[in-house]
């Protein structure tokens, strides 16, 4: 019982901050840490009862049971506040040090943090910078990474240099992508490993056309190798004919050249051919219709739209070329596919009709609205990358990587979203990392701003028809509690571990009742805890614990009182109980969210994990 009551004070902090920072997933996880309802022997150490039936329960912590040097926490339904402060010194300065701040209101969230650790022996230089922003006018992100490390694997002997680059551009109806990779070998590639491929797939007049030029070495002991052009043509016809027949289509093969030569290591096969697949779209449509017909909840017209949209996708070009020779290897990839927007919409329509998909209907509606907005605004998003790998000397390897993403017509896209009642949350992030004084040092920050930010984050919280009854009940209580703001400050350094957290609600009683119902807790109005390594006490105020005349028998009948509980009736015992430091909690929560900086930071996740860890730490007190 003591552990459940202490959890009640701390869980509300996790729940409030988690909802505002991560859709309440951490809050839900914390709830799972609560123990079952109290049993015999789990009552309060003492209970003080007033004439009006109110009671204060006292739980004493065993000396040495507190893993944290000092802990203070409080919860007040009258003030609608929850507050926690923890500190624990360390004997030696820790190697890993960090600090995090999380501030959240109903329309803004900001985090900032830093982390440092000794530079690993293998790292000779390191730097990383990542920034990004999404506003009503633009969306972009950039990443730059450079690292030099000790080459303990001997890679420099096998690879002199390696380079990659490429880009991907997408719209609501098309995707275009190119990519290139080249590797200069430090060791000559044996002739038995030389090979090449040049293949492309496109559509022409309703047919799929595949062209292939290939040179490879095959093992005659593992696979049958055609002896001449006639046998090769028959093998290809069988291969592609079977594929086409499976889709109720047909295939024709034009073998331009074929040569099989015995070489060291096997048989080198060089061939060039063109394959035309006809009638495949019709067969594919029928296959989709047959498969969807197995689900009676999917209307025939939806199945027809999906099948038709699938056949309407246009493959302008999908090609791959690669070559391995004595100097190394190169590879090129190109993709150009269009007219698939209707396919995406039809697919969402089918998914929305299916049962037990695990996807919330609201998420499908949101995704459909997003795709419609992209198409209406003619949104185009582009990302590019480039990377190199080299060896400055014989025992080190150096790598660099660049990534950039941007969007065209973004402002029009935001307007289209708003016209469909889909908010566009303003986000910014930045993170930097480098070697400073033989330590890896990272700094990051992030922010999110939107008038409906809190409501948007609540969309991730399960509701009654999407979660277990108990989870839905607690999440419903959380909504009713209406968290207003939350803050978390934590650090771990030479002074030890320090954590301070607070949350303000509009109706904390609603959250208390939801959690109490799950844990069979009394209707507490305040919880105050003071603990250190020598022990401590938790004081729980319960209004109206006794309804009617106060007697020891009535008190003993309470579920949270057992035979070992010391009972103090009205007028008995010393009643100088500590109270929650409301002023300190209010001052701690008096902040303005700073949203000018940017950053995935590691803020929200790391900060919430720190608070969850604190919750479990405190929950261990009995």
């Amino acid at each position: 019982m003591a552990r459940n009551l202490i959890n009640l004070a701390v869980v509300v902090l996790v729940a409030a901050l988690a909802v505002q920072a991560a859709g309440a997933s951490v809050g839900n996880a914390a709830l799972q840490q609560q123990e079952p309802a109290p049993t015999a022997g789990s009552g309060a150490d003492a209970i003080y009862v007033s004439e009006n039936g109110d009671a204060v329960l006292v739980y004493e912590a065993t000396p040495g049971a507190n893993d944290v040097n000092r802990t203070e926490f409080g919860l007040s339904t009258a003030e609608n506040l929850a507050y926690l402060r923890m500190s624990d010194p360390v004997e030696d300065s820790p190697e890993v040090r960090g600090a995090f701040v999380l501030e959240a209101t109903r329309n803004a969230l900001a985090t900032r943090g830093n982390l440092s650790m000794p530079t690993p022996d293998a790292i000779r230089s390191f730097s990383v910078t990542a920034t990004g922003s999404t506003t009503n006018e633009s969306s972009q992100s950039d990443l730059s990474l450079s690292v030099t490390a000790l080459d303990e694997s001997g890679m420099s002997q096998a690879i002199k240099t390696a380079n990659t680059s490429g880009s991907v551009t997408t719209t609501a109806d098309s995707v275009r992508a190119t990519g290139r990779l080249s590797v200069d070998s430090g060791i000559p590639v044996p002739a038995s490993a030389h090979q090449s491929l040049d293949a492309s797939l496109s559509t022409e007049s309703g047919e799929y056309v595949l062209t292939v030029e290939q040179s490879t070495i095959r093992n005659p002991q593992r696979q049958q190798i055609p002896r001449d052009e006639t046998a090769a043509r028959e093998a290809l016809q069988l291969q592609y004919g079977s594929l086409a027949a499976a889709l109720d289509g047909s295939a024709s093969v034009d073998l331009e050249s074929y040569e099989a030569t015995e070489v060291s290591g096997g048989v080198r096969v060089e061939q060039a051919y063109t394959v035309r697949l006809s009638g495949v779209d019709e067969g594919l449509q029928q296959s989709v219709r047959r498969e969807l017909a197995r689900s009676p909840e999917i209307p025939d017209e939806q199945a027809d739209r999906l099948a038709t949209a699938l056949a309407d996708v246009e493959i302008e070009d999908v090609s791959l070329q690669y070559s391995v020779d004595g100097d190394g290897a190169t590879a090129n990839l190109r993709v150009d596919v269009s007219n698939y927007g209707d396919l995406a919409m039809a697919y969402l329509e089918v998914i929305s009709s299916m049962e037990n998909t695990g996807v919330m209907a609201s998420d499908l509606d949101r995704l459909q609205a997003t795709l419609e907005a992209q198409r209406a605004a003619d949104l185009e998003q582009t990302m590019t990358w480039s990377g190199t790998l080299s060896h400055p000397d014989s025992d080190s390897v150096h790598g660099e990587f660049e990534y950039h993403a941007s969007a065209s017509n973004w402002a029009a896209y935001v307007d289209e979203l708003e016209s469909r009642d889909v908010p566009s949350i303003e986000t910014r992030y930045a993170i930097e990392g480098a070697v400073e004084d033989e330590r890896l040092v990272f700094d990051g920050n992030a922010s999110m701003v939107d008038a409906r930010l809190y409501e948007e984050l609540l969309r991730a919280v399960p509701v009654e028809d999407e979660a277990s009854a108990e989870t839905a009940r607690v999440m419903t209580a959380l909504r009713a509690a209406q968290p207003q703001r939350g803050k978390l400050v934590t650090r771990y350094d030479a002074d030890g571990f320090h954590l301070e957290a607070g949350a303000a609600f509009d109706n904390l009683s609603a959250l208390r009742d939801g959690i109490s119902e799950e844990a069979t807790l009394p209707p507490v109005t305040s919880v105050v805890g003071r603990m250190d390594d020598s022990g401590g006490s938790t004081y729980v105020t319960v209004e109206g614990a006794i309804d009617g005349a106060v007697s020891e028998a009535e008190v003993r009948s309470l579920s949270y009182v057992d035979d070992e509980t010391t009972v103090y009736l009205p007028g008995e015992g010393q009643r100088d109980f500590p109270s929650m430091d409301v002023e300190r909690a209010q001052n701690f929560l008096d902040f303005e969210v700073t949203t000018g900086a940017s950053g995935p930071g590691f803020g929200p996740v790391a900060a919430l994990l720190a608070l969850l860890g604190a919750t479990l730490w405190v929950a261990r007190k009995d």
Side-chain angles (χ1 to χ4, degrees):
M1 167 66 83
R3 191 174 304 175
N4 282 334
L5 288 167
I6 296 171
N7 273 351
L8 174 62
V10 185
V11 162
V12 293
L13 292 169
V14 182
L17 290 170
V19 165
Q20 289 170 301
S25 58
V26 177
N28 188 39
L31 293 175
Q32 302 305 317
Q33 300 296 330
Q34 298 188 83
E35 293 186 345
T39 57
S42 63
D45 292 294
I47 181 171
Y48 296 78
V49 187
S50 303
E51 287 284 359
N52 62 1
D54 294 348
V56 175
L57 314 178
V58 181
Y59 295 87
E60 302 292 345
T62 304
N66 191 1
D67 292 330
V68 182
N69 182 263
R70 184 174 180 81
T71 302
E72 300 179 17
F73 57 90
L75 175 151
S76 171
T77 58
E79 300 291 342
N80 285 310
L81 290 173
Y83 179 76
L84 167 70
R85 184 168 54 158
M86 304 173 65
S87 63
D88 197 29
V90 293
E91 295 182 1
D92 300 312
S93 179
E95 290 189 340
V96 179
R97 306 162 199 160
F100 305 96
V101 177
L102 168 66
E103 297 171 333
T105 65
R106 293 180 69 84
N107 59 9
L109 181 149
T111 69
R112 55 189 180 274
N114 61 74
L115 181 69
S116 71
M117 64 193 74
T119 303
D121 294 337
I123 299 296
R124 296 186 171 180
S125 68
F126 175 86
S127 67
V128 63
T129 301
T131 61
S133 65
T134 299
T135 68
N136 289 339
E137 301 298 326
S138 64
S139 176
Q140 62 183 43
S141 59
D142 303 279
L143 169 67
S144 177
L145 172 67
S146 175
V147 59
T148 301
L150 182 65
D151 183 11
E152 299 175 320
S153 66
M155 183 187 299
S156 59
Q157 298 180 8
I159 300 176
K160 287 183 179 179
T161 62
N163 297 272
T164 181
S165 61
S167 67
V168 177
T169 300
T170 62
T171 70
D173 292 291
S174 66
V175 58
R176 300 187 305 276
T178 61
R180 175 178 173 77
L181 172 67
S182 65
V183 177
D184 290 335
S185 176
I187 301 174
V189 179
S192 59
H194 293 186
Q195 56 182 302
S196 64
L197 173 69
D198 186 346
S200 67
L201 175 67
S202 61
T203 54
E204 295 179 6
S205 303
E207 293 183 329
Y208 292 92
V209 181
L210 173 67
T211 62
V212 176
E213 292 186 20
Q214 184 180 32
S215 175
T216 184
I217 292 182
R218 299 179 182 178
N219 188 338
Q221 296 180 350
R222 296 183 178 178
Q223 61 186 129
Q224 186 175 0
I225 301 174
R227 60 186 182 278
D228 53 29
E229 285 193 17
T230 300
R233 185 178 294 104
E234 291 175 353
L236 291 170
Q237 185 66 54
L238 178 62
Q239 175 184 349
Y240 291 103
S242 300
L243 173 62
L247 296 172
D248 297 329
S250 61
S252 64
V253 176
D254 180 15
L255 181 62
E256 287 101 27
S257 64
Y258 178 84
E259 184 176 355
T261 307
E262 291 189 8
V263 297
S264 175
V267 176
R268 176 169 295 282
V269 175
E270 295 178 314
Q271 58 182 343
Y273 59 88
T274 300
V275 179
R276 293 181 176 273
L277 302 175
S278 304
V280 171
D281 283 342
E282 293 80 0
L284 188 58
Q285 291 182 64
Q286 293 304 320
S287 177
V288 169
R289 291 187 179 96
R290 285 194 300 269
E291 187 64 29
L292 295 182
R294 298 180 181 179
S295 301
E297 68 272 21
I298 300 176
D300 291 342
E301 57 270 21
Q302 289 186 7
D304 289 340
R305 280 194 288 272
L306 180 61
T308 300
L310 182 60
D312 287 342
V313 174
E314 297 180 4
I315 301 177
E316 307 292 345
D317 181 27
V318 175
S319 59
L320 171 66
Q321 298 90 34
Y322 72 80
S323 174
V324 178
D325 56 26
D327 297 325
T330 61
N332 291 277
L333 173 67
R334 175 181 169 80
V335 175
D336 189 350
V337 179
S338 61
N339 203 35
Y340 61 68
D342 289 342
L343 175 61
M345 299 297 288
Y347 177 76
L348 291 178
E349 188 180 46
V350 168
I351 291 296
S352 65
S353 296
M354 297 179 67
E355 299 176 354
N356 302 320
T357 62
V359 182
M360 292 188 291
S362 58
D363 288 340
L364 291 173
D365 293 341
R366 177 65 59 85
L367 184 54
Q368 181 175 348
T370 300
L371 292 175
E372 291 174 348
Q374 290 179 1
R375 178 178 285 184
D378 194 20
L379 177 67
E380 183 175 276
Q381 300 180 84
T382 301
M383 67 170 230
T384 62
W385 77 88
S386 64
T388 63
L389 188 70
S390 61
H391 297 277
D393 50 56
S394 60
D395 64 349
S396 64
V397 58
H398 176 74
E400 293 187 358
F401 183 77
E402 298 277 345
Y403 169 88
H404 306 282
S406 60
S408 301
N409 301 326
W410 185 264
Y413 170 59
V414 172
D415 290 341
E416 293 291 344
L417 287 176
E418 291 179 351
S419 71
R420 292 166 173 80
D421 198 33
V422 178
S424 176
I425 297 175
E426 179 178 308
T427 62
R428 301 177 187 274
Y429 69 84
I431 185 169
E432 293 185 350
V435 175
E436 298 179 8
D437 298 327
E438 299 183 348
R439 292 182 65 82
L440 275 178
V441 179
F442 297 90
D443 287 281
N445 51 72
S447 66
M448 302 172 66
V449 179
D450 188 80
R452 292 187 290 172
L453 178 62
Y454 176 73
E455 287 76 11
E456 281 302 298
L457 294 175
L458 269 182
R459 292 183 70 250
V461 179
V463 293
E464 292 183 2
D465 59 343
E466 298 162 350
S468 63
E470 55 271 21
T471 299
R473 186 160 49 245
V474 173
M475 292 301 102
T476 299
L478 178 59
R479 287 186 176 90
Q482 290 293 301
Q484 299 298 308
R485 54 181 47 225
K487 183 177 180 180
L488 168 67
V489 177
T490 181
R491 74 176 191 274
Y492 185 57
D493 52 26
D495 294 329
F497 170 72
H498 300 269
L499 183 146
E500 189 171 9
F505 300 80
D506 189 53
N507 181 13
L508 182 55
S509 298
L511 181 58
R512 173 206 63 191
D513 295 342
I515 297 176
S516 297
E517 186 174 357
E518 286 305 300
T520 319
L521 299 176
V524 303
T525 56
S526 71
V527 179
V528 178
R530 302 285 187 272
M531 300 180 185
D532 55 32
D533 51 8
S534 63
S537 303
T538 299
Y539 303 86
V540 181
T541 301
V542 182
E543 293 185 355
I546 300 296
D547 184 14
V550 176
S551 66
E552 181 162 352
E554 288 292 328
V555 175
R556 292 286 180 189
S557 68
L558 299 173
S559 62
Y560 36 89
V561 176
D562 59 22
D563 294 340
E564 298 180 4
T565 301
T566 302
V567 175
Y568 295 93
L569 298 177
E572 299 178 355
Q574 175 63 38
R575 304 197 175 209
D576 185 16
F577 305 121
S579 60
M580 178 181 177
D581 192 341
V582 173
E583 182 177 2
R584 183 184 182 95
Q586 290 175 335
N587 290 337
F588 179 70
L589 290 170
D590 184 14
F591 61 83
E592 293 294 332
V593 175
T594 302
T595 60
S598 4
F602 23 82
V605 174
L608 285 171
L609 288 177
L611 184 54
L612 179 56
T615 303
L616 303 183
W617 230 334
V618 174
R620 294 177 62 182
K621 323 284 188 297
D622 225 331

